[in-house]
Amino acid sequence: MDFFEVVNPRVPELNKNEHLLFDYVVKNLNIIKNKSIREVSDECYVSTTTFLRFVRKIGFSGYSEFTTVIKYTLLNQNLEEKRSPFVVSQKDYKEEYLKNINESVRVIDAKKLAEVANYLAHQPIIYLFAKGMNKQLMHYIKYLFTTAGFLVVFPEDQPLRRVVQKQIRAQDIVFILTYQGKDDEWVQLMQHLKNSPSPLIVSLTGADNNVVQNMSDINFYVFTDELFLNKMEITSHISMIAIMELILYQYLDSADEETYHLVFK
């Protein structure tokens, strides 16, 4: 039994407070698996009764089954990491690929999506920060938001990023894309931004608990299988693209009809 297969169908039914609990659980699976319900409840600032009610709402009979499935899921993930994805059949890999995209989109908090869209309605300058493969993705993101009429700044090298970070204002919005979420440069950037009137900081990271995720004003996490070919990363970034597109579409959906001419075919 996989944790995400159990909970995903029930995520849309969660209320705001339950979404906060769900976010905490997903980001801290490795920690929760060895803790009692009282310890987890205390860390979430809710009663054990409230947390148990949440556990049952997302599909488990009780806390024991909840932690058992988490341990099983993490064990399987660790085993999968040791195997080449191309050892499995092409059919299985396709199914995992599609499942990762589906899970990444399914767990998006609609209120977070709306909050970013509402912020975009004020026409902030958009700053994009990414490295490695994410830089290629950012070129597409810059194209999308520039087409929608935004001023988009994407500094691609470190010296330029140091200059640009001094230009960011409180009314702007910053997107940081990093799957690992542990890059020292991004941590330092976020610390700098929070030491002055802070812009809205939105990050896209992996689902595992990480520093960038925790320092962001809003985080969207994705599920994917990390792949390396000849020591070069070729991990799929489709889920990150999907989330950035959904952010833009959410904004366009709420925009004044006279502002954009949208055609759906």
Side-chain angles (χ1 to χ4, degrees), residues 162-195:
R162 288 175 181 168
V163 174
V164 165
Q165 73 178 27
K166 299 176 183 178
Q167 302 171 354
I168 301 174
R169 304 167 301 170
Q171 60 266 38
D172 298 329
I173 184 169
V174 172
F175 287 98
I176 300 175
L177 271 64
T178 167
Y179 184 75
Q180 295 292 341
K182 301 174 182 178
D183 189 283
D184 288 341
E185 183 184 349
W186 300 150
V187 174
Q188 292 172 11
L189 168 67
M190 298 170 79
Q191 288 174 335
H192 167 77
L193 294 176
K194 288 181 177 293
N195 284 334

PDB file of all heavy atoms in Angstrom, residues 162-195:
ATOM      1  N   ARG A 162      23.706  38.403  -8.039  1.00  0.00           N
ATOM      2  CA  ARG A 162      24.078  39.239  -6.904  1.00  0.00           C
ATOM      3  C   ARG A 162      23.667  40.686  -7.125  1.00  0.00           C
ATOM      4  O   ARG A 162      23.260  41.389  -6.187  1.00  0.00           O
ATOM      5  CB  ARG A 162      25.594  39.159  -6.683  1.00  0.00           C
ATOM      6  CG  ARG A 162      26.065  37.831  -6.123  1.00  0.00           C
ATOM      7  CD  ARG A 162      27.577  37.785  -6.049  1.00  0.00           C
ATOM      8  NE  ARG A 162      28.058  36.512  -5.530  1.00  0.00           N
ATOM      9  CZ  ARG A 162      29.338  36.135  -5.579  1.00  0.00           C
ATOM     10  NH1 ARG A 162      30.245  36.940  -6.122  1.00  0.00           N
ATOM     11  NH2 ARG A 162      29.690  34.972  -5.086  1.00  0.00           N
ATOM     12  N   VAL A 163      23.793  41.156  -8.361  1.00  0.00           N
ATOM     13  CA  VAL A 163      23.395  42.529  -8.689  1.00  0.00           C
ATOM     14  C   VAL A 163      21.878  42.665  -8.644  1.00  0.00           C
ATOM     15  O   VAL A 163      21.330  43.594  -8.049  1.00  0.00           O
ATOM     16  CB  VAL A 163      23.926  42.938 -10.077  1.00  0.00           C
ATOM     17  CG1 VAL A 163      23.381  44.313 -10.473  1.00  0.00           C
ATOM     18  CG2 VAL A 163      25.446  42.943 -10.093  1.00  0.00           C
ATOM     19  N   VAL A 164      21.197  41.696  -9.256  1.00  0.00           N
ATOM     20  CA  VAL A 164      19.747  41.761  -9.388  1.00  0.00           C
ATOM     21  C   VAL A 164      19.039  41.697  -8.041  1.00  0.00           C
ATOM     22  O   VAL A 164      18.029  42.381  -7.826  1.00  0.00           O
ATOM     23  CB  VAL A 164      19.247  40.627 -10.312  1.00  0.00           C
ATOM     24  CG1 VAL A 164      17.734  40.446 -10.188  1.00  0.00           C
ATOM     25  CG2 VAL A 164      19.621  40.914 -11.761  1.00  0.00           C
ATOM     26  N   GLN A 165      19.550  40.904  -7.110  1.00  0.00           N
ATOM     27  CA  GLN A 165      18.862  40.753  -5.828  1.00  0.00           C
ATOM     28  C   GLN A 165      18.748  42.074  -5.068  1.00  0.00           C
ATOM     29  O   GLN A 165      17.856  42.254  -4.240  1.00  0.00           O
ATOM     30  CB  GLN A 165      19.549  39.702  -4.972  1.00  0.00           C
ATOM     31  CG  GLN A 165      20.877  40.119  -4.385  1.00  0.00           C
ATOM     32  CD  GLN A 165      21.459  39.016  -3.499  1.00  0.00           C
ATOM     33  OE1 GLN A 165      21.189  37.834  -3.671  1.00  0.00           O
ATOM     34  NE2 GLN A 165      22.265  39.409  -2.541  1.00  0.00           N
ATOM     35  N   LYS A 166      19.633  43.018  -5.361  1.00  0.00           N
ATOM     36  CA  LYS A 166      19.586  44.329  -4.713  1.00  0.00           C
ATOM     37  C   LYS A 166      18.494  45.221  -5.297  1.00  0.00           C
ATOM     38  O   LYS A 166      18.151  46.242  -4.724  1.00  0.00           O
ATOM     39  CB  LYS A 166      20.943  45.022  -4.853  1.00  0.00           C
ATOM     40  CG  LYS A 166      22.092  44.263  -4.198  1.00  0.00           C
ATOM     41  CD  LYS A 166      23.420  44.955  -4.446  1.00  0.00           C
ATOM     42  CE  LYS A 166      24.576  44.161  -3.852  1.00  0.00           C
ATOM     43  NZ  LYS A 166      25.889  44.785  -4.126  1.00  0.00           N
ATOM     44  N   GLN A 167      17.939  44.806  -6.448  1.00  0.00           N
ATOM     45  CA  GLN A 167      16.924  45.610  -7.121  1.00  0.00           C
ATOM     46  C   GLN A 167      15.504  45.172  -6.775  1.00  0.00           C
ATOM     47  O   GLN A 167      14.535  45.852  -7.113  1.00  0.00           O
ATOM     48  CB  GLN A 167      17.120  45.516  -8.642  1.00  0.00           C
ATOM     49  CG  GLN A 167      18.505  45.960  -9.103  1.00  0.00           C
ATOM     50  CD  GLN A 167      18.749  45.642 -10.572  1.00  0.00           C
ATOM     51  OE1 GLN A 167      17.928  44.999 -11.228  1.00  0.00           O
ATOM     52  NE2 GLN A 167      19.890  46.075 -11.087  1.00  0.00           N
ATOM     53  N   ILE A 168      15.373  44.033  -6.111  1.00  0.00           N
ATOM     54  CA  ILE A 168      14.049  43.468  -5.827  1.00  0.00           C
ATOM     55  C   ILE A 168      13.349  44.287  -4.757  1.00  0.00           C
ATOM     56  O   ILE A 168      13.909  44.572  -3.701  1.00  0.00           O
ATOM     57  CB  ILE A 168      14.174  41.995  -5.388  1.00  0.00           C
ATOM     58  CG1 ILE A 168      14.862  41.185  -6.494  1.00  0.00           C
ATOM     59  CG2 ILE A 168      12.807  41.413  -5.073  1.00  0.00           C
ATOM     60  CD1 ILE A 168      15.154  39.746  -6.105  1.00  0.00           C
ATOM     61  N   ARG A 169      12.097  44.636  -5.033  1.00  0.00           N
ATOM     62  CA  ARG A 169      11.315  45.459  -4.111  1.00  0.00           C
ATOM     63  C   ARG A 169      10.241  44.621  -3.420  1.00  0.00           C
ATOM     64  O   ARG A 169       9.938  43.505  -3.843  1.00  0.00           O
ATOM     65  CB  ARG A 169      10.662  46.608  -4.878  1.00  0.00           C
ATOM     66  CG  ARG A 169      11.640  47.486  -5.660  1.00  0.00           C
ATOM     67  CD  ARG A 169      10.894  48.375  -6.626  1.00  0.00           C
ATOM     68  NE  ARG A 169      10.110  47.579  -7.569  1.00  0.00           N
ATOM     69  CZ  ARG A 169       9.207  48.077  -8.421  1.00  0.00           C
ATOM     70  NH1 ARG A 169       8.972  49.386  -8.424  1.00  0.00           N
ATOM     71  NH2 ARG A 169       8.550  47.293  -9.240  1.00  0.00           N
ATOM     72  N   ALA A 170       9.646  45.212  -2.389  1.00  0.00           N
ATOM     73  CA  ALA A 170       8.651  44.497  -1.592  1.00  0.00           C
ATOM     74  C   ALA A 170       7.432  44.085  -2.413  1.00  0.00           C
ATOM     75  O   ALA A 170       6.784  43.076  -2.124  1.00  0.00           O
ATOM     76  CB  ALA A 170       8.218  45.351  -0.404  1.00  0.00           C
ATOM     77  N   GLN A 171       7.095  44.874  -3.439  1.00  0.00           N
ATOM     78  CA  GLN A 171       5.894  44.589  -4.226  1.00  0.00           C
ATOM     79  C   GLN A 171       6.138  43.579  -5.354  1.00  0.00           C
ATOM     80  O   GLN A 171       5.220  43.260  -6.103  1.00  0.00           O
ATOM     81  CB  GLN A 171       5.303  45.878  -4.810  1.00  0.00           C
ATOM     82  CG  GLN A 171       6.228  46.646  -5.742  1.00  0.00           C
ATOM     83  CD  GLN A 171       7.015  47.719  -5.013  1.00  0.00           C
ATOM     84  OE1 GLN A 171       7.449  47.514  -3.882  1.00  0.00           O
ATOM     85  NE2 GLN A 171       7.172  48.865  -5.646  1.00  0.00           N
ATOM     86  N   ASP A 172       7.381  43.088  -5.471  1.00  0.00           N
ATOM     87  CA  ASP A 172       7.701  42.139  -6.535  1.00  0.00           C
ATOM     88  C   ASP A 172       7.425  40.700  -6.097  1.00  0.00           C
ATOM     89  O   ASP A 172       7.058  40.449  -4.953  1.00  0.00           O
ATOM     90  CB  ASP A 172       9.175  42.293  -6.945  1.00  0.00           C
ATOM     91  CG  ASP A 172       9.474  43.676  -7.511  1.00  0.00           C
ATOM     92  OD1 ASP A 172       8.550  44.262  -8.129  1.00  0.00           O
ATOM     93  OD2 ASP A 172      10.600  44.174  -7.327  1.00  0.00           O
ATOM     94  N   ILE A 173       7.640  39.780  -7.026  1.00  0.00           N
ATOM     95  CA  ILE A 173       7.455  38.363  -6.710  1.00  0.00           C
ATOM     96  C   ILE A 173       8.671  37.590  -7.192  1.00  0.00           C
ATOM     97  O   ILE A 173       9.200  37.856  -8.275  1.00  0.00           O
ATOM     98  CB  ILE A 173       6.151  37.807  -7.342  1.00  0.00           C
ATOM     99  CG1 ILE A 173       5.912  36.351  -6.928  1.00  0.00           C
ATOM    100  CG2 ILE A 173       6.170  37.937  -8.864  1.00  0.00           C
ATOM    101  CD1 ILE A 173       4.528  35.841  -7.302  1.00  0.00           C
ATOM    102  N   VAL A 174       9.130  36.673  -6.374  1.00  0.00           N
ATOM    103  CA  VAL A 174      10.332  35.887  -6.666  1.00  0.00           C
ATOM    104  C   VAL A 174       9.958  34.408  -6.758  1.00  0.00           C
ATOM    105  O   VAL A 174       9.331  33.869  -5.841  1.00  0.00           O
ATOM    106  CB  VAL A 174      11.400  36.082  -5.575  1.00  0.00           C
ATOM    107  CG1 VAL A 174      12.562  35.119  -5.770  1.00  0.00           C
ATOM    108  CG2 VAL A 174      11.892  37.519  -5.570  1.00  0.00           C
ATOM    109  N   PHE A 175      10.333  33.768  -7.863  1.00  0.00           N
ATOM    110  CA  PHE A 175      10.142  32.327  -8.025  1.00  0.00           C
ATOM    111  C   PHE A 175      11.509  31.647  -7.961  1.00  0.00           C
ATOM    112  O   PHE A 175      12.436  32.035  -8.681  1.00  0.00           O
ATOM    113  CB  PHE A 175       9.479  31.999  -9.367  1.00  0.00           C
ATOM    114  CG  PHE A 175       8.028  32.348  -9.438  1.00  0.00           C
ATOM    115  CD1 PHE A 175       7.618  33.533 -10.033  1.00  0.00           C
ATOM    116  CD2 PHE A 175       7.053  31.499  -8.929  1.00  0.00           C
ATOM    117  CE1 PHE A 175       6.269  33.868 -10.113  1.00  0.00           C
ATOM    118  CE2 PHE A 175       5.708  31.816  -8.993  1.00  0.00           C
ATOM    119  CZ  PHE A 175       5.310  33.009  -9.588  1.00  0.00           C
ATOM    120  N   ILE A 176      11.628  30.636  -7.118  1.00  0.00           N
ATOM    121  CA  ILE A 176      12.855  29.855  -7.015  1.00  0.00           C
ATOM    122  C   ILE A 176      12.539  28.402  -7.322  1.00  0.00           C
ATOM    123  O   ILE A 176      11.681  27.799  -6.670  1.00  0.00           O
ATOM    124  CB  ILE A 176      13.475  29.965  -5.610  1.00  0.00           C
ATOM    125  CG1 ILE A 176      13.806  31.428  -5.285  1.00  0.00           C
ATOM    126  CG2 ILE A 176      14.738  29.095  -5.510  1.00  0.00           C
ATOM    127  CD1 ILE A 176      14.323  31.641  -3.871  1.00  0.00           C
ATOM    128  N   LEU A 177      13.215  27.848  -8.323  1.00  0.00           N
ATOM    129  CA  LEU A 177      13.006  26.453  -8.688  1.00  0.00           C
ATOM    130  C   LEU A 177      14.237  25.644  -8.320  1.00  0.00           C
ATOM    131  O   LEU A 177      15.331  25.892  -8.832  1.00  0.00           O
ATOM    132  CB  LEU A 177      12.736  26.327 -10.196  1.00  0.00           C
ATOM    133  CG  LEU A 177      11.266  26.444 -10.634  1.00  0.00           C
ATOM    134  CD1 LEU A 177      10.720  27.823 -10.316  1.00  0.00           C
ATOM    135  CD2 LEU A 177      11.116  26.131 -12.117  1.00  0.00           C
ATOM    136  N   THR A 178      14.073  24.715  -7.408  1.00  0.00           N
ATOM    137  CA  THR A 178      15.174  23.864  -6.972  1.00  0.00           C
ATOM    138  C   THR A 178      14.606  22.575  -6.413  1.00  0.00           C
ATOM    139  O   THR A 178      13.918  22.604  -5.389  1.00  0.00           O
ATOM    140  CB  THR A 178      16.065  24.566  -5.925  1.00  0.00           C
ATOM    141  OG1 THR A 178      16.928  23.600  -5.311  1.00  0.00           O
ATOM    142  CG2 THR A 178      15.240  25.255  -4.849  1.00  0.00           C
ATOM    143  N   TYR A 179      14.891  21.464  -7.039  1.00  0.00           N
ATOM    144  CA  TYR A 179      14.299  20.212  -6.588  1.00  0.00           C
ATOM    145  C   TYR A 179      14.819  19.819  -5.202  1.00  0.00           C
ATOM    146  O   TYR A 179      14.057  19.448  -4.324  1.00  0.00           O
ATOM    147  CB  TYR A 179      14.579  19.081  -7.587  1.00  0.00           C
ATOM    148  CG  TYR A 179      13.897  17.796  -7.190  1.00  0.00           C
ATOM    149  CD1 TYR A 179      12.515  17.645  -7.358  1.00  0.00           C
ATOM    150  CD2 TYR A 179      14.603  16.756  -6.595  1.00  0.00           C
ATOM    151  CE1 TYR A 179      11.874  16.495  -6.959  1.00  0.00           C
ATOM    152  CE2 TYR A 179      13.973  15.606  -6.189  1.00  0.00           C
ATOM    153  CZ  TYR A 179      12.603  15.473  -6.377  1.00  0.00           C
ATOM    154  OH  TYR A 179      11.972  14.329  -5.957  1.00  0.00           O
ATOM    155  N   GLN A 180      16.133  19.934  -4.990  1.00  0.00           N
ATOM    156  CA  GLN A 180      16.716  19.529  -3.706  1.00  0.00           C
ATOM    157  C   GLN A 180      16.375  20.502  -2.592  1.00  0.00           C
ATOM    158  O   GLN A 180      16.190  20.117  -1.447  1.00  0.00           O
ATOM    159  CB  GLN A 180      18.238  19.404  -3.837  1.00  0.00           C
ATOM    160  CG  GLN A 180      18.687  18.300  -4.773  1.00  0.00           C
ATOM    161  CD  GLN A 180      18.378  16.910  -4.241  1.00  0.00           C
ATOM    162  OE1 GLN A 180      18.156  16.731  -3.044  1.00  0.00           O
ATOM    163  NE2 GLN A 180      18.348  15.933  -5.123  1.00  0.00           N
ATOM    164  N   GLY A 181      16.312  21.800  -2.914  1.00  0.00           N
ATOM    165  CA  GLY A 181      15.941  22.797  -1.912  1.00  0.00           C
ATOM    166  C   GLY A 181      16.987  23.040  -0.843  1.00  0.00           C
ATOM    167  O   GLY A 181      16.663  23.506   0.246  1.00  0.00           O
ATOM    168  N   LYS A 182      18.255  22.757  -1.158  1.00  0.00           N
ATOM    169  CA  LYS A 182      19.307  22.886  -0.145  1.00  0.00           C
ATOM    170  C   LYS A 182      20.458  23.771  -0.614  1.00  0.00           C
ATOM    171  O   LYS A 182      21.485  23.847   0.052  1.00  0.00           O
ATOM    172  CB  LYS A 182      19.852  21.497   0.223  1.00  0.00           C
ATOM    173  CG  LYS A 182      18.793  20.548   0.763  1.00  0.00           C
ATOM    174  CD  LYS A 182      19.361  19.163   0.975  1.00  0.00           C
ATOM    175  CE  LYS A 182      18.278  18.198   1.465  1.00  0.00           C
ATOM    176  NZ  LYS A 182      18.796  16.816   1.625  1.00  0.00           N
ATOM    177  N   ASP A 183      20.308  24.420  -1.735  1.00  0.00           N
ATOM    178  CA  ASP A 183      21.393  25.207  -2.316  1.00  0.00           C
ATOM    179  C   ASP A 183      21.719  26.416  -1.442  1.00  0.00           C
ATOM    180  O   ASP A 183      20.841  27.210  -1.093  1.00  0.00           O
ATOM    181  CB  ASP A 183      20.993  25.668  -3.727  1.00  0.00           C
ATOM    182  CG  ASP A 183      22.159  26.288  -4.464  1.00  0.00           C
ATOM    183  OD1 ASP A 183      22.481  27.452  -4.159  1.00  0.00           O
ATOM    184  OD2 ASP A 183      22.739  25.612  -5.327  1.00  0.00           O
ATOM    185  N   ASP A 184      22.992  26.566  -1.082  1.00  0.00           N
ATOM    186  CA  ASP A 184      23.410  27.657  -0.195  1.00  0.00           C
ATOM    187  C   ASP A 184      23.126  29.028  -0.799  1.00  0.00           C
ATOM    188  O   ASP A 184      22.777  29.967  -0.070  1.00  0.00           O
ATOM    189  CB  ASP A 184      24.908  27.540   0.118  1.00  0.00           C
ATOM    190  CG  ASP A 184      25.223  26.379   1.050  1.00  0.00           C
ATOM    191  OD1 ASP A 184      24.288  25.911   1.730  1.00  0.00           O
ATOM    192  OD2 ASP A 184      26.385  25.942   1.084  1.00  0.00           O
ATOM    193  N   GLU A 185      23.274  29.145  -2.109  1.00  0.00           N
ATOM    194  CA  GLU A 185      23.026  30.448  -2.742  1.00  0.00           C
ATOM    195  C   GLU A 185      21.571  30.865  -2.575  1.00  0.00           C
ATOM    196  O   GLU A 185      21.277  32.033  -2.308  1.00  0.00           O
ATOM    197  CB  GLU A 185      23.398  30.420  -4.219  1.00  0.00           C
ATOM    198  CG  GLU A 185      23.228  31.784  -4.877  1.00  0.00           C
ATOM    199  CD  GLU A 185      23.491  31.789  -6.369  1.00  0.00           C
ATOM    200  OE1 GLU A 185      24.007  30.777  -6.898  1.00  0.00           O
ATOM    201  OE2 GLU A 185      23.169  32.812  -7.026  1.00  0.00           O
ATOM    202  N   TRP A 186      20.650  29.918  -2.739  1.00  0.00           N
ATOM    203  CA  TRP A 186      19.226  30.256  -2.607  1.00  0.00           C
ATOM    204  C   TRP A 186      18.894  30.584  -1.148  1.00  0.00           C
ATOM    205  O   TRP A 186      18.081  31.473  -0.890  1.00  0.00           O
ATOM    206  CB  TRP A 186      18.351  29.101  -3.098  1.00  0.00           C
ATOM    207  CG  TRP A 186      18.524  28.699  -4.514  1.00  0.00           C
ATOM    208  CD1 TRP A 186      18.352  27.452  -5.041  1.00  0.00           C
ATOM    209  CD2 TRP A 186      18.890  29.531  -5.633  1.00  0.00           C
ATOM    210  NE1 TRP A 186      18.603  27.442  -6.387  1.00  0.00           N
ATOM    211  CE2 TRP A 186      18.930  28.708  -6.775  1.00  0.00           C
ATOM    212  CE3 TRP A 186      19.214  30.880  -5.768  1.00  0.00           C
ATOM    213  CZ2 TRP A 186      19.258  29.191  -8.036  1.00  0.00           C
ATOM    214  CZ3 TRP A 186      19.550  31.361  -7.027  1.00  0.00           C
ATOM    215  CH2 TRP A 186      19.566  30.542  -8.140  1.00  0.00           C
ATOM    216  N   VAL A 187      19.487  29.878  -0.223  1.00  0.00           N
ATOM    217  CA  VAL A 187      19.256  30.167   1.199  1.00  0.00           C
ATOM    218  C   VAL A 187      19.734  31.582   1.527  1.00  0.00           C
ATOM    219  O   VAL A 187      19.040  32.356   2.200  1.00  0.00           O
ATOM    220  CB  VAL A 187      19.962  29.134   2.091  1.00  0.00           C
ATOM    221  CG1 VAL A 187      19.854  29.527   3.569  1.00  0.00           C
ATOM    222  CG2 VAL A 187      19.364  27.743   1.878  1.00  0.00           C
ATOM    223  N   GLN A 188      20.928  31.936   1.042  1.00  0.00           N
ATOM    224  CA  GLN A 188      21.467  33.277   1.279  1.00  0.00           C
ATOM    225  C   GLN A 188      20.614  34.344   0.600  1.00  0.00           C
ATOM    226  O   GLN A 188      20.389  35.429   1.162  1.00  0.00           O
ATOM    227  CB  GLN A 188      22.911  33.356   0.787  1.00  0.00           C
ATOM    228  CG  GLN A 188      23.867  32.519   1.617  1.00  0.00           C
ATOM    229  CD  GLN A 188      25.260  32.451   1.019  1.00  0.00           C
ATOM    230  OE1 GLN A 188      25.586  33.192   0.092  1.00  0.00           O
ATOM    231  NE2 GLN A 188      26.090  31.550   1.535  1.00  0.00           N
ATOM    232  N   LEU A 189      20.136  34.048  -0.592  1.00  0.00           N
ATOM    233  CA  LEU A 189      19.258  34.976  -1.303  1.00  0.00           C
ATOM    234  C   LEU A 189      17.992  35.246  -0.495  1.00  0.00           C
ATOM    235  O   LEU A 189      17.577  36.398  -0.314  1.00  0.00           O
ATOM    236  CB  LEU A 189      18.876  34.404  -2.678  1.00  0.00           C
ATOM    237  CG  LEU A 189      17.745  35.113  -3.433  1.00  0.00           C
ATOM    238  CD1 LEU A 189      18.172  36.519  -3.846  1.00  0.00           C
ATOM    239  CD2 LEU A 189      17.309  34.295  -4.648  1.00  0.00           C
ATOM    240  N   MET A 190      17.375  34.177   0.020  1.00  0.00           N
ATOM    241  CA  MET A 190      16.138  34.323   0.772  1.00  0.00           C
ATOM    242  C   MET A 190      16.371  35.056   2.087  1.00  0.00           C
ATOM    243  O   MET A 190      15.541  35.866   2.517  1.00  0.00           O
ATOM    244  CB  MET A 190      15.512  32.943   0.998  1.00  0.00           C
ATOM    245  CG  MET A 190      15.134  32.251  -0.307  1.00  0.00           C
ATOM    246  SD  MET A 190      14.667  30.524  -0.109  1.00  0.00           S
ATOM    247  CE  MET A 190      12.994  30.703   0.468  1.00  0.00           C
ATOM    248  N   GLN A 191      17.509  34.798   2.714  1.00  0.00           N
ATOM    249  CA  GLN A 191      17.843  35.522   3.944  1.00  0.00           C
ATOM    250  C   GLN A 191      17.998  37.010   3.664  1.00  0.00           C
ATOM    251  O   GLN A 191      17.531  37.855   4.431  1.00  0.00           O
ATOM    252  CB  GLN A 191      19.132  34.954   4.545  1.00  0.00           C
ATOM    253  CG  GLN A 191      18.961  33.576   5.172  1.00  0.00           C
ATOM    254  CD  GLN A 191      20.278  32.975   5.618  1.00  0.00           C
ATOM    255  OE1 GLN A 191      21.344  33.328   5.090  1.00  0.00           O
ATOM    256  NE2 GLN A 191      20.221  32.067   6.581  1.00  0.00           N
ATOM    257  N   HIS A 192      18.651  37.336   2.550  1.00  0.00           N
ATOM    258  CA  HIS A 192      18.819  38.739   2.157  1.00  0.00           C
ATOM    259  C   HIS A 192      17.466  39.400   1.913  1.00  0.00           C
ATOM    260  O   HIS A 192      17.217  40.521   2.384  1.00  0.00           O
ATOM    261  CB  HIS A 192      19.671  38.824   0.884  1.00  0.00           C
ATOM    262  CG  HIS A 192      19.642  40.172   0.232  1.00  0.00           C
ATOM    263  ND1 HIS A 192      20.366  41.257   0.700  1.00  0.00           N
ATOM    264  CD2 HIS A 192      18.938  40.624  -0.859  1.00  0.00           C
ATOM    265  CE1 HIS A 192      20.127  42.305  -0.069  1.00  0.00           C
ATOM    266  NE2 HIS A 192      19.273  41.953  -1.015  1.00  0.00           N
ATOM    267  N   LEU A 193      16.575  38.702   1.197  1.00  0.00           N
ATOM    268  CA  LEU A 193      15.270  39.276   0.865  1.00  0.00           C
ATOM    269  C   LEU A 193      14.414  39.487   2.110  1.00  0.00           C
ATOM    270  O   LEU A 193      13.641  40.439   2.183  1.00  0.00           O
ATOM    271  CB  LEU A 193      14.543  38.375  -0.132  1.00  0.00           C
ATOM    272  CG  LEU A 193      15.182  38.253  -1.529  1.00  0.00           C
ATOM    273  CD1 LEU A 193      14.416  37.254  -2.379  1.00  0.00           C
ATOM    274  CD2 LEU A 193      15.248  39.606  -2.214  1.00  0.00           C
ATOM    275  N   LYS A 194      14.575  38.612   3.084  1.00  0.00           N
ATOM    276  CA  LYS A 194      13.758  38.722   4.297  1.00  0.00           C
ATOM    277  C   LYS A 194      14.310  39.740   5.292  1.00  0.00           C
ATOM    278  O   LYS A 194      13.646  40.093   6.264  1.00  0.00           O
ATOM    279  CB  LYS A 194      13.625  37.345   4.950  1.00  0.00           C
ATOM    280  CG  LYS A 194      12.714  36.399   4.165  1.00  0.00           C
ATOM    281  CD  LYS A 194      12.591  35.053   4.840  1.00  0.00           C
ATOM    282  CE  LYS A 194      11.619  34.155   4.078  1.00  0.00           C
ATOM    283  NZ  LYS A 194      10.235  34.654   4.139  1.00  0.00           N
ATOM    284  N   ASN A 195      15.532  40.218   5.056  1.00  0.00           N
ATOM    285  CA  ASN A 195      16.114  41.233   5.928  1.00  0.00           C
ATOM    286  C   ASN A 195      15.690  42.640   5.550  1.00  0.00           C
ATOM    287  O   ASN A 195      16.024  43.597   6.227  1.00  0.00           O
ATOM    288  CB  ASN A 195      17.655  41.149   5.900  1.00  0.00           C
ATOM    289  CG  ASN A 195      18.169  39.973   6.708  1.00  0.00           C
ATOM    290  OD1 ASN A 195      17.504  39.526   7.638  1.00  0.00           O
ATOM    291  ND2 ASN A 195      19.332  39.467   6.349  1.00  0.00           N
TER     292      ASN A 195
END
